Amino acid sequence: MEEQENVTIDDKDNIIVRGTEPEKPKSIKKNYIFSLIARIVALLVPLIITPYVSRILEPDGVGICSYVASIVSYFVLFANLGIETFALREISINRDNKDYIKKFAVEVTIMKAILTAACLIVYYVLFICVLDVADRLLYIIYSITLIAVAFNFNWFFQGIEKFNIIAVASVFSKIAYIVCIVLFVKQKEDLNYYAAIVVSMTLAEYLITIPFIFFNIKGKISGKVNPFRHFKSCVIYFLPTVAVEIYTVVDKTMIGLITGSSFENGYYEYAEKLVKMPLAAITAVNLIMQSRMALYFSRGQLPEAESLANKSCRFCAMLSVPMAFGMVAIARTAIPLYLGEGYEKCVILVYILAWLVPIITISDFYGSNYYTPIGKRKISALFLGIGAVINVILNSFMIYLWQSLGAAIASLVAELVISILYMVYARSFFKIKQLLKNSFKYILASVVMGAVTFTLNYFLPPNVWYLILEIVVGVVVYVLMLFALRDSYFIDNLKSLIKK
């Protein structure tokens, strides 16, 4: 990052804002509530609408959309060019310097618009004009996702910790999404309508936030606007994003290319979606921690940073571990009841992919609480790149042998390698021993909960009411185990919640 007036960089690469009155940090709990609202809505809407869509479009229809979306995502990746991650950090650590963030936001927005236009041109030339692709109209529809990149200002609101704006936009767009799906998607032939609704609602969510930008950026901009002066810094943040995209999206692309089966892509799409739905609550708190940790590091408040990271770690472990065990325990009956007939293979995929929840939580925790806030994106990029290479190599023969199951195994191994590398390198800030200590009681409680729930699931008839009973029993057993193990973090937070 270039040095600006009132901004200096110390010998540890921490950014220090000087000459301005420090702004009082927003309430973490309040921000978490708003962020969680947006995540819960993002979780509930697919949860509500998926059974409807899965039965109408069937696995092959879902698979076609998944494959085309994976292709478009590569262009979205280059249009973003790491801008959002870099911009979030810059806004977070320079929030007290209003003149700087005003000019910075304008420059970043212009650069993003130019990159989006360039990627859109390349996309249209390749997939609309040159290549003879099937479902050409679907490729045109999904290009709206690429257009939406230019209008995504979530990085700004996250940086100044105004998560309420993002939450409101998310709620409105998701409600509109449900209404449109029910009104316009009635049969399998409505596949293009479904795709158009999905991408249009993404664009609408971003457009809703635009008026609020002008309320937060007022007055004239001092100095010359140079959109590409942040280009080099964005590229540094872009490299880890490339790696992330490879091991999260390339699975679907390679399944489509190697198997040639939209059914396999459909199975993998929904299995992965079901597994990653519960991650919303965890990534919500880590997203907030990223902004706050960047602020603490920039001000040299290391004790506060370590304390906050410890709390964040325990929260993540308390949720992620039982989620994995719970999904495995109920998958056998839950998936056929939820998705309908024809999705039986998703059960086996969930048995494998469920363990991504705690594994991804670890890497997300370290990324949000250490690597991104402190500016260690180069080493983060290296680790993510290693994971991406492992994923592609394993995919190349595992998908050939076991189709979507091979992709699931490859993803699990790649994510595990990344999380281990993250933990080892950052052990001076957050010791692995501390991570294991924070997680031990939650693992033990989850094993007991999983055993009880799995037993009930095996012997009880497969219907919705018994499934709800199994979930309730699982939650009760987990909570009782935490009391029995005297987990101070859970008990103290529960007492605090009851008092309020």
Side-chain angles (χ1 to χ4, degrees):
M1 185 196 79
E2 305 85 3
E3 291 196 23
Q4 301 92 15
E5 185 180 357
N6 298 327
V7 180
T8 59
I9 304 175
D10 66 15
D11 57 356
K12 294 182 180 180
D13 293 329
N14 292 324
I15 297 123
I16 309 298
V17 182
R18 303 186 186 280
T20 55
E21 184 67 26
E23 180 181 325
K24 184 179 179 180
K26 308 291 191 302
S27 167
I28 290 181
K29 290 184 179 179
K30 184 178 178 181
N31 282 329
Y32 177 69
I33 290 171
F34 281 118
S35 183
L36 188 59
I37 288 172
R39 297 294 176 125
I40 288 175
V41 170
L43 169 66
L44 288 179
V45 169
L47 201 62
I48 294 168
I49 208 68
T50 292
Y52 178 78
V53 173
S54 65
R55 286 165 171 80
I56 291 177
L57 299 185
E58 300 177 1
D60 57 328
V62 174
I64 293 169
C65 288
S66 175
Y67 179 71
V68 176
S70 73
I71 297 297
V72 177
S73 66
Y74 298 117
F75 291 86
V76 170
L77 174 67
F78 281 93
N80 274 315
L81 198 74
I83 293 172
E84 292 181 5
T85 307
F86 169 69
L88 191 158
R89 180 173 182 266
E90 282 291 284
I91 296 293
S92 298
I93 62 181
N94 293 288
R95 70 179 70 187
D96 301 329
N97 192 334
K98 302 298 182 184
D99 290 335
Y100 172 68
I101 66 171
K102 185 194 309 178
K103 183 178 180 180
F104 174 79
V106 171
E107 290 175 331
V108 165
T109 300
I110 294 172
M111 179 170 65
K112 204 175 181 188
I114 294 171
L115 291 172
T116 300
C119 290
L120 195 61
I121 292 170
V122 174
Y123 175 81
Y124 275 123
V125 169
L126 282 176
F127 291 96
I128 311 303
C129 301
V130 178
L131 298 177
D132 184 22
V133 294
D135 306 298
R136 192 180 301 275
L137 180 58
L138 206 57
Y139 279 87
I140 295 173
I141 292 171
Y142 268 96
S143 68
I144 296 175
T145 306
L146 184 52
I147 295 171
V149 171
F151 300 97
N152 184 358
F153 293 97
N154 286 356
W155 50 269
F156 180 83
F157 298 112
Q158 290 165 359
I160 61 174
E161 295 191 26
K162 289 193 176 181
F163 291 88
N164 56 325
I165 296 173
I166 300 172
V168 170
S170 177
V171 170
F172 275 105
S173 64
K174 295 299 188 298
I175 291 173
Y177 167 75
I178 292 178
V179 172
C180 290
I181 290 292
V182 173
L183 289 177
F184 300 109
V185 182
K186 303 286 187 181
Q187 53 190 351
K188 193 172 182 178
E189 288 70 25
D190 294 332
L191 179 67
N192 290 333
Y193 291 147
Y194 167 77
I197 292 168
V198 170
V199 297
S200 296
M201 289 306 107
T202 300
L203 177 60
E205 182 176 339
Y206 297 151
L207 292 176
I208 291 171
T209 66
I210 290 179
F212 297 96
I213 288 288
F214 298 103
F215 288 111
N216 290 278
I217 301 179
K218 298 178 181 179
K220 294 182 179 180
I221 298 172
S222 58
K224 184 180 179 182
V225 173
N226 182 5
F228 284 92
R229 72 190 183 99
H230 304 289
F231 184 81
K232 183 179 178 181
S233 298
C234 288
V235 170
I236 294 174
Y237 281 76
F238 170 67
L239 296 176
T241 310
V242 172
V244 170
E245 193 72 11
I246 288 176
Y247 70 75
T248 55
V249 179
V250 79
D251 293 345
K252 298 165 189 176
T253 306
M254 293 185 74
I255 288 172
L257 292 173
I258 295 173
T259 68
S261 169
S262 56
F263 282 92
E264 288 295 321
N265 243 327
Y267 301 141
Y268 190 85
E269 170 74 14
Y270 270 143
E272 184 185 47
K273 186 176 290 186
L274 289 172
V275 164
K276 290 187 176 180
M277 276 183 185
L279 279 169
I282 301 169
T283 54
V285 73
N286 278 337
L287 183 62
I288 295 167
M289 291 304 104
Q290 181 173 317
S291 299
R292 184 57 57 88
M293 292 293 282
L295 184 65
Y296 282 157
F297 280 126
S298 69
R299 292 176 176 176
Q301 297 174 295
L302 294 184
E304 289 85 350
E306 291 176 2
S307 175
L308 194 59
N310 187 59
K311 293 176 182 178
S312 176
C313 175
R314 298 191 70 169
F315 176 85
C316 291
M318 184 177 68
L319 292 184
S320 65
V321 178
M323 283 177 183
F325 279 91
M327 282 188 286
V328 171
I330 66 172
R332 188 179 64 89
T333 55
I335 289 175
L337 287 171
Y338 184 64
L339 296 178
E341 295 181 1
Y343 291 90
E344 288 75 14
K345 190 170 184 178
C346 289
V347 175
I348 304 174
L349 286 169
V350 168
Y351 285 159
I352 300 170
L353 292 173
W355 306 108
L356 284 176
V357 176
I359 293 173
I360 289 178
T361 297
I362 292 172
S363 59
D364 190 57
F365 163 76
Y366 277 96
S368 299
N369 288 273
Y370 180 72
Y371 288 92
T372 298
I374 208 170
K376 296 284 187 180
R377 296 298 289 180
K378 290 182 180 179
I379 192 68
S380 177
L382 174 62
F383 295 156
L384 292 168
I386 292 171
V389 170
I390 291 172
N391 193 33
V392 171
I393 292 172
L394 293 177
N395 272 336
S396 63
F397 68 87
M398 282 189 170
I399 292 176
Y400 178 78
L401 294 173
W402 303 307
Q403 300 180 312
S404 56
L405 293 177
I409 296 170
S411 291
L412 193 66
V413 173
E415 290 281 6
L416 183 60
V417 169
I418 291 167
S419 293
I420 291 172
L421 291 173
Y422 265 37
M423 288 188 293
V424 172
Y425 183 84
R427 64 188 182 277
S428 60
F429 171 70
F430 198 82
K431 295 178 173 57
I432 298 176
K433 183 180 179 181
Q434 184 66 35
L435 177 70
L436 296 175
K437 181 181 177 182
N438 287 348
S439 305
F440 175 74
K441 291 181 180 179
Y442 305 121
I443 294 172
L444 184 58
S446 297
V447 170
V448 175
M449 178 272 292
V452 172
T453 309
F454 187 85
T455 303
L456 288 174
N457 184 264
Y458 185 82
F459 287 105
L460 292 177
N463 64 54
V464 175
W465 297 112
Y466 281 118
L467 182 61
I468 294 173
L469 175 64
E470 292 161 15
I471 294 171
V472 171
V473 170
V475 171
V476 171
V477 169
Y478 183 67
V479 170
L480 291 176
M481 282 296 300
L482 292 183
F483 275 114
L485 294 169
R486 298 180 181 179
D487 181 63
S488 59
Y489 179 79
F490 171 75
I491 294 172
D492 290 345
N493 277 278
L494 185 62
K495 287 180 179 178
S496 176
L497 187 64
I498 292 172
K499 287 180 181 180
K500 292 183 179 181

